[in-house]
Amino acid sequence: LIVAQNLTKIYNTEEVEVHALRGVDFTIEEGSFASFVGPSGSGKTTLLNLIGCLDKPTGGRLLVEGSDISSLGRKEGARFRGQNIGYIFQNFNLIPVLTAFENVEYPLVMVQNRPVSERQDRVAGLLAAVGMADQKGKFPDQLSGGQKQRVAIARALVTNPKLVLADEPTANLDHDAAYGIIRLMEKMKDDLRTTFIFSTHDTRIIGEVEIVYTLEDGRLTGQQISGGK
Amino acid sequence: LIVAQNLTKIYNTEEVEVHALRGVDFTIEEGSFASFVGPSGSGKTTLLNLIGCLDKPTGGRLLVEGSDISSLGRKEGARFRGQNIGYIFQNFNLIPVLTAFENVEYPLVMVQNRPVSERQDRVAGLLAAVGMADQKGKFPDQLSGGQKQRVAIARALVTNPKLVLADEPTANLDHDAAYGIIRLMEKMKDDLRTTFIFSTHDTRIIGEVEIVYTLEDGRLTGQQISGGK
Ligand SMILES: Nc1ncnc2c1ncn2[C@@H]1O[C@H](COP(=O)(O)OP(=O)(O)OP(=O)(O)O)[C@@H](O)[C@H]1O
Ligand SMILES: Nc1ncnc2c1ncn2[C@@H]1O[C@H](COP(=O)(O)OP(=O)(O)OP(=O)(O)O)[C@@H](O)[C@H]1O
Ligand SMILES: [Mg+2]
Ligand SMILES: [Mg+2]
């Protein structure tokens, strides 16, 4: 369960004060398949960064899985994220010195400390599920844009997190690869009650989610239940 | 005019030899509005890198504007690109220590050596045309994904190049921003006979181009004249 109350975020830079989120309120139930949509610059990534404990709100409250994450320190936030959340970054954020395989394996090593044999099977399975099995030995700078994006998706799903935050996860993917990812995520939602929250412009995702929240200039201006799966 | 004859590209890494392009042939007329499409990993970015003199072919010939660019050295290639081509990178490739304004102004300073007053008007005009006028003083890490993409687009168009290579230019843009960019580009094609070559999965672009080339696994498998503008 995720509850936002009067959530605000102001970026202070020397030149300007940016009100990226201006008092946002919503509740997202466990096992939801939901998406935030809205114009470029409307605050979608900012909101996902707050829910993902990657940044602190300026005001308001944010409850995730019962914890008030708006009050967590940096270290506690990182631990909470590692144990509960899978994050797919808009710019992928892969570790350049690790191969595709090692990037996907990383959360299993760092967070969950699983034995090697279990890790190898899980990583290989997920790379195959996103169509990247034969690219596992490559480094990020040897991969295409959509290949990097799929490695980032596999990495976020590998720990079977309760909550997945996916920022434009299909922006660089063709039709078949995009629907392959959406089906993979829907299966996790159906089998494991994983909650998925997307930020996207992609109508292929918007057509498959149950609820669409519209952000405009840092405000929630609409909420629509749709016919998705 | 762009002519490719039996164009091949092989990436050699320690682990593996990747045949990214396997003998591609095509002719693109001046003033075209054309797009390469195809699955993630099919060779679209690789092909745009060759046409844009950012990389050398492994075999075959590539003629751009009458020059055999497959035989140009690194420096000559960079000069040719600076004078004839505007390139919109799939990962934007903005200079982190320059503001949005300075990033767009950069090609006018480095390549065309225009007087300051002329530069300022041109940069301001293009930033406004992509909806980024009020973000001009920000650095790339203070911009959203789609805002960075629009700065990268403005930078590629600012020198009025003969040829624009656009790699997934609308991947992070909402409906209105995406069509704003497409209209801006169509106007340049109509007014200045600028040639536009896209690499994309975005049906919003595919629906507006005149000709679609399909790449699959490094081969050109289809060419379709469509009803675009
Ligand atoms: N520097 C490199 N070293 C090795 N292999 C590479 C390198 N760059 C690209 N490749 C490989 O070449 C193939 C084509 O890559 P390319 O980036 O051209 O694909 P693409 O069609 O642009 O894909 P996408 O739609 O995902 O952006 C891919 O399999 C990729 O892994
Ligand atoms: N570090 C920062 N410093 C200052 N302003 C910022 C920073 N990060 C984001 N912003 C601004 O906050 C606003 C919201 O940005 P955000 O990245 O959340 O938008 P978005 O909805 O994800 O956009 P897009 O669809 O283009 O990715 C934008 O105007 C952006 O310029
Ligand atoms: Mg964003
Ligand atoms: Mg590409």
PDB file of all heavy atoms in Angstrom, chain A residues 121-151:
ATOM      1  N   ASP A 121      21.076 -19.274 -11.511  1.00  0.00           N
ATOM      2  CA  ASP A 121      19.841 -19.729 -12.177  1.00  0.00           C
ATOM      3  C   ASP A 121      18.865 -18.568 -12.335  1.00  0.00           C
ATOM      4  O   ASP A 121      18.240 -18.377 -13.373  1.00  0.00           O
ATOM      5  CB  ASP A 121      19.174 -20.825 -11.327  1.00  0.00           C
ATOM      6  CG  ASP A 121      19.975 -22.120 -11.379  1.00  0.00           C
ATOM      7  OD1 ASP A 121      20.890 -22.198 -12.227  1.00  0.00           O
ATOM      8  OD2 ASP A 121      19.692 -23.030 -10.579  1.00  0.00           O
ATOM      9  N   ARG A 122      18.735 -17.799 -11.275  1.00  0.00           N
ATOM     10  CA  ARG A 122      17.756 -16.708 -11.263  1.00  0.00           C
ATOM     11  C   ARG A 122      18.145 -15.649 -12.312  1.00  0.00           C
ATOM     12  O   ARG A 122      17.297 -15.186 -13.066  1.00  0.00           O
ATOM     13  CB  ARG A 122      17.765 -16.109  -9.852  1.00  0.00           C
ATOM     14  CG  ARG A 122      16.815 -15.014  -9.650  1.00  0.00           C
ATOM     15  CD  ARG A 122      15.674 -15.341  -8.673  1.00  0.00           C
ATOM     16  NE  ARG A 122      14.740 -14.227  -8.716  1.00  0.00           N
ATOM     17  CZ  ARG A 122      13.641 -14.218  -9.461  1.00  0.00           C
ATOM     18  NH1 ARG A 122      13.313 -15.270 -10.178  1.00  0.00           N
ATOM     19  NH2 ARG A 122      12.847 -13.157  -9.504  1.00  0.00           N
ATOM     20  N   VAL A 123      19.435 -15.273 -12.352  1.00  0.00           N
ATOM     21  CA  VAL A 123      19.897 -14.247 -13.299  1.00  0.00           C
ATOM     22  C   VAL A 123      19.736 -14.759 -14.730  1.00  0.00           C
ATOM     23  O   VAL A 123      19.190 -14.059 -15.597  1.00  0.00           O
ATOM     24  CB  VAL A 123      21.370 -13.872 -13.019  1.00  0.00           C
ATOM     25  CG1 VAL A 123      21.886 -12.933 -14.098  1.00  0.00           C
ATOM     26  CG2 VAL A 123      21.514 -13.242 -11.650  1.00  0.00           C
ATOM     27  N   ALA A 124      20.142 -15.989 -14.976  1.00  0.00           N
ATOM     28  CA  ALA A 124      20.028 -16.548 -16.333  1.00  0.00           C
ATOM     29  C   ALA A 124      18.563 -16.584 -16.762  1.00  0.00           C
ATOM     30  O   ALA A 124      18.224 -16.247 -17.905  1.00  0.00           O
ATOM     31  CB  ALA A 124      20.630 -17.949 -16.357  1.00  0.00           C
ATOM     32  N   GLY A 125      17.684 -16.947 -15.836  1.00  0.00           N
ATOM     33  CA  GLY A 125      16.256 -17.026 -16.153  1.00  0.00           C
ATOM     34  C   GLY A 125      15.676 -15.676 -16.540  1.00  0.00           C
ATOM     35  O   GLY A 125      14.916 -15.553 -17.496  1.00  0.00           O
ATOM     36  N   LEU A 126      16.062 -14.668 -15.781  1.00  0.00           N
ATOM     37  CA  LEU A 126      15.504 -13.338 -16.040  1.00  0.00           C
ATOM     38  C   LEU A 126      16.080 -12.722 -17.320  1.00  0.00           C
ATOM     39  O   LEU A 126      15.363 -12.092 -18.094  1.00  0.00           O
ATOM     40  CB  LEU A 126      15.800 -12.444 -14.835  1.00  0.00           C
ATOM     41  CG  LEU A 126      14.644 -11.575 -14.341  1.00  0.00           C
ATOM     42  CD1 LEU A 126      13.287 -12.244 -14.420  1.00  0.00           C
ATOM     43  CD2 LEU A 126      14.888 -11.094 -12.946  1.00  0.00           C
ATOM     44  N   LEU A 127      17.367 -12.954 -17.569  1.00  0.00           N
ATOM     45  CA  LEU A 127      17.953 -12.450 -18.825  1.00  0.00           C
ATOM     46  C   LEU A 127      17.271 -13.107 -20.023  1.00  0.00           C
ATOM     47  O   LEU A 127      16.982 -12.458 -21.031  1.00  0.00           O
ATOM     48  CB  LEU A 127      19.454 -12.730 -18.866  1.00  0.00           C
ATOM     49  CG  LEU A 127      20.341 -11.757 -18.080  1.00  0.00           C
ATOM     50  CD1 LEU A 127      21.776 -12.260 -18.031  1.00  0.00           C
ATOM     51  CD2 LEU A 127      20.300 -10.354 -18.695  1.00  0.00           C
ATOM     52  N   ALA A 128      16.968 -14.374 -19.899  1.00  0.00           N
ATOM     53  CA  ALA A 128      16.255 -15.063 -20.994  1.00  0.00           C
ATOM     54  C   ALA A 128      14.850 -14.478 -21.154  1.00  0.00           C
ATOM     55  O   ALA A 128      14.379 -14.252 -22.263  1.00  0.00           O
ATOM     56  CB  ALA A 128      16.182 -16.553 -20.696  1.00  0.00           C
ATOM     57  N   ALA A 129      14.195 -14.188 -20.022  1.00  0.00           N
ATOM     58  CA  ALA A 129      12.819 -13.666 -20.065  1.00  0.00           C
ATOM     59  C   ALA A 129      12.740 -12.307 -20.753  1.00  0.00           C
ATOM     60  O   ALA A 129      11.709 -11.950 -21.331  1.00  0.00           O
ATOM     61  CB  ALA A 129      12.257 -13.558 -18.646  1.00  0.00           C
ATOM     62  N   VAL A 130      13.827 -11.526 -20.731  1.00  0.00           N
ATOM     63  CA  VAL A 130      13.815 -10.213 -21.412  1.00  0.00           C
ATOM     64  C   VAL A 130      14.540 -10.290 -22.748  1.00  0.00           C
ATOM     65  O   VAL A 130      14.836  -9.284 -23.369  1.00  0.00           O
ATOM     66  CB  VAL A 130      14.428  -9.095 -20.528  1.00  0.00           C
ATOM     67  CG1 VAL A 130      13.623  -8.897 -19.254  1.00  0.00           C
ATOM     68  CG2 VAL A 130      15.896  -9.345 -20.230  1.00  0.00           C
ATOM     69  N   GLY A 131      14.864 -11.530 -23.212  1.00  0.00           N
ATOM     70  CA  GLY A 131      15.466 -11.707 -24.527  1.00  0.00           C
ATOM     71  C   GLY A 131      16.934 -11.315 -24.600  1.00  0.00           C
ATOM     72  O   GLY A 131      17.433 -10.949 -25.657  1.00  0.00           O
ATOM     73  N   MET A 132      17.642 -11.410 -23.465  1.00  0.00           N
ATOM     74  CA  MET A 132      19.029 -10.942 -23.460  1.00  0.00           C
ATOM     75  C   MET A 132      20.020 -12.048 -23.088  1.00  0.00           C
ATOM     76  O   MET A 132      21.156 -11.762 -22.721  1.00  0.00           O
ATOM     77  CB  MET A 132      19.155  -9.789 -22.450  1.00  0.00           C
ATOM     78  CG  MET A 132      18.479  -8.520 -22.888  1.00  0.00           C
ATOM     79  SD  MET A 132      19.311  -7.750 -24.280  1.00  0.00           S
ATOM     80  CE  MET A 132      20.855  -7.303 -23.496  1.00  0.00           C
ATOM     81  N   ALA A 133      19.613 -13.298 -23.205  1.00  0.00           N
ATOM     82  CA  ALA A 133      20.501 -14.395 -22.780  1.00  0.00           C
ATOM     83  C   ALA A 133      21.830 -14.356 -23.533  1.00  0.00           C
ATOM     84  O   ALA A 133      22.891 -14.485 -22.925  1.00  0.00           O
ATOM     85  CB  ALA A 133      19.804 -15.734 -23.006  1.00  0.00           C
ATOM     86  N   ASP A 134      21.783 -14.104 -24.838  1.00  0.00           N
ATOM     87  CA  ASP A 134      23.036 -14.194 -25.602  1.00  0.00           C
ATOM     88  C   ASP A 134      23.882 -12.924 -25.509  1.00  0.00           C
ATOM     89  O   ASP A 134      24.917 -12.813 -26.170  1.00  0.00           O
ATOM     90  CB  ASP A 134      22.730 -14.541 -27.071  1.00  0.00           C
ATOM     91  CG  ASP A 134      21.771 -13.570 -27.693  1.00  0.00           C
ATOM     92  OD1 ASP A 134      21.151 -12.781 -26.932  1.00  0.00           O
ATOM     93  OD2 ASP A 134      21.608 -13.563 -28.926  1.00  0.00           O
ATOM     94  N   GLN A 135      23.431 -11.951 -24.709  1.00  0.00           N
ATOM     95  CA  GLN A 135      24.225 -10.722 -24.564  1.00  0.00           C
ATOM     96  C   GLN A 135      24.846 -10.628 -23.177  1.00  0.00           C
ATOM     97  O   GLN A 135      25.371  -9.591 -22.794  1.00  0.00           O
ATOM     98  CB  GLN A 135      23.305  -9.495 -24.764  1.00  0.00           C
ATOM     99  CG  GLN A 135      22.477  -9.500 -26.033  1.00  0.00           C
ATOM    100  CD  GLN A 135      23.278  -9.176 -27.262  1.00  0.00           C
ATOM    101  OE1 GLN A 135      24.274  -8.483 -27.192  1.00  0.00           O
ATOM    102  NE2 GLN A 135      22.850  -9.693 -28.406  1.00  0.00           N
ATOM    103  N   LYS A 136      24.763 -11.732 -22.379  1.00  0.00           N
ATOM    104  CA  LYS A 136      25.071 -11.603 -20.948  1.00  0.00           C
ATOM    105  C   LYS A 136      26.517 -11.238 -20.663  1.00  0.00           C
ATOM    106  O   LYS A 136      26.819 -10.664 -19.613  1.00  0.00           O
ATOM    107  CB  LYS A 136      24.698 -12.888 -20.209  1.00  0.00           C
ATOM    108  CG  LYS A 136      25.488 -14.146 -20.582  1.00  0.00           C
ATOM    109  CD  LYS A 136      25.011 -15.302 -19.693  1.00  0.00           C
ATOM    110  CE  LYS A 136      25.845 -16.545 -19.866  1.00  0.00           C
ATOM    111  NZ  LYS A 136      25.516 -17.297 -21.072  1.00  0.00           N
ATOM    112  N   GLY A 137      27.453 -11.516 -21.601  1.00  0.00           N
ATOM    113  CA  GLY A 137      28.862 -11.243 -21.319  1.00  0.00           C
ATOM    114  C   GLY A 137      29.292  -9.846 -21.722  1.00  0.00           C
ATOM    115  O   GLY A 137      30.452  -9.465 -21.547  1.00  0.00           O
ATOM    116  N   LYS A 138      28.367  -9.060 -22.257  1.00  0.00           N
ATOM    117  CA  LYS A 138      28.750  -7.739 -22.779  1.00  0.00           C
ATOM    118  C   LYS A 138      28.692  -6.680 -21.682  1.00  0.00           C
ATOM    119  O   LYS A 138      27.887  -6.756 -20.755  1.00  0.00           O
ATOM    120  CB  LYS A 138      27.783  -7.349 -23.892  1.00  0.00           C
ATOM    121  CG  LYS A 138      28.101  -7.988 -25.226  1.00  0.00           C
ATOM    122  CD  LYS A 138      27.230  -7.310 -26.257  1.00  0.00           C
ATOM    123  CE  LYS A 138      27.494  -7.791 -27.643  1.00  0.00           C
ATOM    124  NZ  LYS A 138      26.453  -7.286 -28.561  1.00  0.00           N
ATOM    125  N   PHE A 139      29.490  -5.637 -21.872  1.00  0.00           N
ATOM    126  CA  PHE A 139      29.451  -4.468 -20.998  1.00  0.00           C
ATOM    127  C   PHE A 139      28.429  -3.467 -21.555  1.00  0.00           C
ATOM    128  O   PHE A 139      28.141  -3.472 -22.747  1.00  0.00           O
ATOM    129  CB  PHE A 139      30.838  -3.838 -20.892  1.00  0.00           C
ATOM    130  CG  PHE A 139      31.814  -4.729 -20.175  1.00  0.00           C
ATOM    131  CD1 PHE A 139      32.640  -5.607 -20.882  1.00  0.00           C
ATOM    132  CD2 PHE A 139      31.876  -4.737 -18.786  1.00  0.00           C
ATOM    133  CE1 PHE A 139      33.501  -6.466 -20.222  1.00  0.00           C
ATOM    134  CE2 PHE A 139      32.745  -5.594 -18.113  1.00  0.00           C
ATOM    135  CZ  PHE A 139      33.558  -6.456 -18.830  1.00  0.00           C
ATOM    136  N   PRO A 140      27.891  -2.591 -20.704  1.00  0.00           N
ATOM    137  CA  PRO A 140      26.863  -1.645 -21.145  1.00  0.00           C
ATOM    138  C   PRO A 140      27.219  -0.857 -22.402  1.00  0.00           C
ATOM    139  O   PRO A 140      26.365  -0.640 -23.260  1.00  0.00           O
ATOM    140  CB  PRO A 140      26.684  -0.742 -19.923  1.00  0.00           C
ATOM    141  CG  PRO A 140      26.944  -1.654 -18.765  1.00  0.00           C
ATOM    142  CD  PRO A 140      28.069  -2.550 -19.231  1.00  0.00           C
ATOM    143  N   ASP A 141      28.485  -0.456 -22.537  1.00  0.00           N
ATOM    144  CA  ASP A 141      28.823   0.351 -23.727  1.00  0.00           C
ATOM    145  C   ASP A 141      28.915  -0.491 -25.000  1.00  0.00           C
ATOM    146  O   ASP A 141      29.196   0.033 -26.072  1.00  0.00           O
ATOM    147  CB  ASP A 141      30.110   1.166 -23.505  1.00  0.00           C
ATOM    148  CG  ASP A 141      31.324   0.280 -23.342  1.00  0.00           C
ATOM    149  OD1 ASP A 141      31.166  -0.950 -23.220  1.00  0.00           O
ATOM    150  OD2 ASP A 141      32.458   0.819 -23.325  1.00  0.00           O
ATOM    151  N   GLN A 142      28.677  -1.780 -24.864  1.00  0.00           N
ATOM    152  CA  GLN A 142      28.654  -2.660 -26.041  1.00  0.00           C
ATOM    153  C   GLN A 142      27.230  -3.081 -26.376  1.00  0.00           C
ATOM    154  O   GLN A 142      27.001  -3.979 -27.189  1.00  0.00           O
ATOM    155  CB  GLN A 142      29.494  -3.916 -25.772  1.00  0.00           C
ATOM    156  CG  GLN A 142      30.966  -3.613 -25.527  1.00  0.00           C
ATOM    157  CD  GLN A 142      31.742  -4.826 -25.049  1.00  0.00           C
ATOM    158  OE1 GLN A 142      31.184  -5.728 -24.423  1.00  0.00           O
ATOM    159  NE2 GLN A 142      33.025  -4.851 -25.332  1.00  0.00           N
ATOM    160  N   LEU A 143      26.266  -2.470 -25.712  1.00  0.00           N
ATOM    161  CA  LEU A 143      24.861  -2.831 -25.909  1.00  0.00           C
ATOM    162  C   LEU A 143      24.091  -1.701 -26.570  1.00  0.00           C
ATOM    163  O   LEU A 143      24.416  -0.523 -26.400  1.00  0.00           O
ATOM    164  CB  LEU A 143      24.206  -3.139 -24.552  1.00  0.00           C
ATOM    165  CG  LEU A 143      24.708  -4.375 -23.811  1.00  0.00           C
ATOM    166  CD1 LEU A 143      24.083  -4.432 -22.425  1.00  0.00           C
ATOM    167  CD2 LEU A 143      24.397  -5.647 -24.581  1.00  0.00           C
ATOM    168  N   SER A 144      23.027  -2.064 -27.312  1.00  0.00           N
ATOM    169  CA  SER A 144      22.149  -1.054 -27.904  1.00  0.00           C
ATOM    170  C   SER A 144      21.293  -0.425 -26.793  1.00  0.00           C
ATOM    171  O   SER A 144      21.218  -0.956 -25.682  1.00  0.00           O
ATOM    172  CB  SER A 144      21.241  -1.704 -28.948  1.00  0.00           C
ATOM    173  OG  SER A 144      20.158  -2.369 -28.332  1.00  0.00           O
ATOM    174  N   GLY A 145      20.622   0.681 -27.110  1.00  0.00           N
ATOM    175  CA  GLY A 145      19.780   1.378 -26.133  1.00  0.00           C
ATOM    176  C   GLY A 145      18.719   0.469 -25.537  1.00  0.00           C
ATOM    177  O   GLY A 145      18.579   0.359 -24.313  1.00  0.00           O
ATOM    178  N   GLY A 146      18.001  -0.230 -26.378  1.00  0.00           N
ATOM    179  CA  GLY A 146      16.937  -1.108 -25.886  1.00  0.00           C
ATOM    180  C   GLY A 146      17.490  -2.323 -25.159  1.00  0.00           C
ATOM    181  O   GLY A 146      16.835  -2.884 -24.279  1.00  0.00           O
ATOM    182  N   GLN A 147      18.716  -2.747 -25.521  1.00  0.00           N
ATOM    183  CA  GLN A 147      19.334  -3.871 -24.805  1.00  0.00           C
ATOM    184  C   GLN A 147      19.698  -3.423 -23.386  1.00  0.00           C
ATOM    185  O   GLN A 147      19.491  -4.165 -22.417  1.00  0.00           O
ATOM    186  CB  GLN A 147      20.568  -4.361 -25.568  1.00  0.00           C
ATOM    187  CG  GLN A 147      20.217  -5.080 -26.862  1.00  0.00           C
ATOM    188  CD  GLN A 147      21.426  -5.443 -27.709  1.00  0.00           C
ATOM    189  OE1 GLN A 147      22.481  -4.810 -27.596  1.00  0.00           O
ATOM    190  NE2 GLN A 147      21.284  -6.444 -28.562  1.00  0.00           N
ATOM    191  N   LYS A 148      20.234  -2.215 -23.244  1.00  0.00           N
ATOM    192  CA  LYS A 148      20.559  -1.708 -21.901  1.00  0.00           C
ATOM    193  C   LYS A 148      19.287  -1.597 -21.064  1.00  0.00           C
ATOM    194  O   LYS A 148      19.266  -1.948 -19.881  1.00  0.00           O
ATOM    195  CB  LYS A 148      21.230  -0.321 -22.019  1.00  0.00           C
ATOM    196  CG  LYS A 148      22.702  -0.400 -22.362  1.00  0.00           C
ATOM    197  CD  LYS A 148      23.384   0.952 -22.380  1.00  0.00           C
ATOM    198  CE  LYS A 148      23.096   1.685 -23.661  1.00  0.00           C
ATOM    199  NZ  LYS A 148      24.117   2.718 -23.991  1.00  0.00           N
ATOM    200  N   GLN A 149      18.247  -1.127 -21.707  1.00  0.00           N
ATOM    201  CA  GLN A 149      16.978  -0.964 -20.970  1.00  0.00           C
ATOM    202  C   GLN A 149      16.483  -2.315 -20.458  1.00  0.00           C
ATOM    203  O   GLN A 149      16.007  -2.418 -19.325  1.00  0.00           O
ATOM    204  CB  GLN A 149      15.935  -0.357 -21.910  1.00  0.00           C
ATOM    205  CG  GLN A 149      14.669   0.048 -21.205  1.00  0.00           C
ATOM    206  CD  GLN A 149      13.955   1.183 -21.902  1.00  0.00           C
ATOM    207  OE1 GLN A 149      13.783   1.197 -23.111  1.00  0.00           O
ATOM    208  NE2 GLN A 149      13.504   2.162 -21.132  1.00  0.00           N
ATOM    209  N   ARG A 150      16.630  -3.361 -21.250  1.00  0.00           N
ATOM    210  CA  ARG A 150      16.142  -4.674 -20.822  1.00  0.00           C
ATOM    211  C   ARG A 150      17.010  -5.257 -19.712  1.00  0.00           C
ATOM    212  O   ARG A 150      16.510  -5.959 -18.830  1.00  0.00           O
ATOM    213  CB  ARG A 150      16.058  -5.604 -22.029  1.00  0.00           C
ATOM    214  CG  ARG A 150      14.860  -5.247 -22.908  1.00  0.00           C
ATOM    215  CD  ARG A 150      14.757  -6.133 -24.101  1.00  0.00           C
ATOM    216  NE  ARG A 150      15.696  -5.792 -25.143  1.00  0.00           N
ATOM    217  CZ  ARG A 150      16.034  -6.591 -26.141  1.00  0.00           C
ATOM    218  NH1 ARG A 150      15.501  -7.791 -26.223  1.00  0.00           N
ATOM    219  NH2 ARG A 150      16.898  -6.200 -27.058  1.00  0.00           N
ATOM    220  N   VAL A 151      18.311  -4.967 -19.728  1.00  0.00           N
ATOM    221  CA  VAL A 151      19.167  -5.398 -18.616  1.00  0.00           C
ATOM    222  C   VAL A 151      18.721  -4.680 -17.335  1.00  0.00           C
ATOM    223  O   VAL A 151      18.624  -5.289 -16.268  1.00  0.00           O
ATOM    224  CB  VAL A 151      20.650  -5.102 -18.921  1.00  0.00           C
ATOM    225  CG1 VAL A 151      21.510  -5.384 -17.686  1.00  0.00           C
ATOM    226  CG2 VAL A 151      21.127  -5.941 -20.093  1.00  0.00           C
TER     227      VAL A 151
END
